Amino acid sequence: MPPVVVRRAGLTDLDVIVPLFDGYRQFYGQPSEPDRVRAFLKERLAQGDSVLLMAEADGLVLGFTQLYPSFSSVSMAPIFILNDLFVVPETRRSGVARLLLDAAVRHGREAGAIRLSLSTAHTNTAAQALYTSAGWKRDAVFCVYHYGLSR
């Protein structure tokens, strides 16, 4: 595989990121909605609501991760939520996801964050193995709950 470069995506990258983000959503059982994906990502990037990192090689985008800034009230310090990580199926198990995780950690450190947090499906054992091997620790103290609010 040619050298992979991870860089921060901007508005000019929407055309190449939208199909990957749409594929990511489909992986989680959502319908294909490229127009909604474009609008969502455009707003995130324009507003600076998130940091989108993309991996590319030879002009092809191989994957992305998206970080959302937040804060720890207890520590009174910034954190990032790694909300999305996706690698195109053809290049999985080639190290691209690890490069994206490493870039996310670098970004968090450079931004002065005290931690990155993520969650994944209980059934996504491949991702869990990657996170563990990359030094991420499974939370053994806190339970995560959600309260659905319909739009």
Side-chain angles (χ1 to χ4, degrees), residues 59-100:
L60 298 174
V61 180
L62 308 176
F64 72 90
T65 190
Q66 186 163 219
L67 306 169
Y68 290 105
S70 189
F71 295 91
S72 166
S73 296
V74 173
S75 300
M76 296 185 293
I79 63 171
F80 281 96
I81 300 164
L82 192 153
N83 205 71
D84 313 307
L85 177 67
F86 182 77
V87 174
V88 295
E90 303 79 39
T91 58
R92 290 185 183 151
R93 300 195 183 279
S94 67
V96 172
R98 173 83 57 141
L99 290 171
L100 286 164

Side-chain angles (χ1 to χ4, degrees), residues 70-145:
S70 189
F71 295 91
S72 166
S73 296
V74 173
S75 300
M76 296 185 293
I79 63 171
F80 281 96
I81 300 164
L82 192 153
N83 205 71
D84 313 307
L85 177 67
F86 182 77
V87 174
V88 295
E90 303 79 39
T91 58
R92 290 185 183 151
R93 300 195 183 279
S94 67
V96 172
R98 173 83 57 141
L99 290 171
L100 286 164
L101 286 174
D102 291 346
V105 168
R106 271 193 311 280
H107 178 81
R109 284 190 175 126
E110 290 168 3
I114 61 163
R115 112 176 139 252
L116 277 70
S117 298
L118 64 78
S119 62
T120 192
H122 288 286
T123 57
N124 195 347
T125 56
Q128 292 170 38
L130 168 66
Y131 303 142
T132 300
S133 72
W136 291 68
K137 305 291 183 220
R138 181 180 286 224
D139 193 301
V141 177
F142 293 98
C143 297
V144 176
Y145 292 85

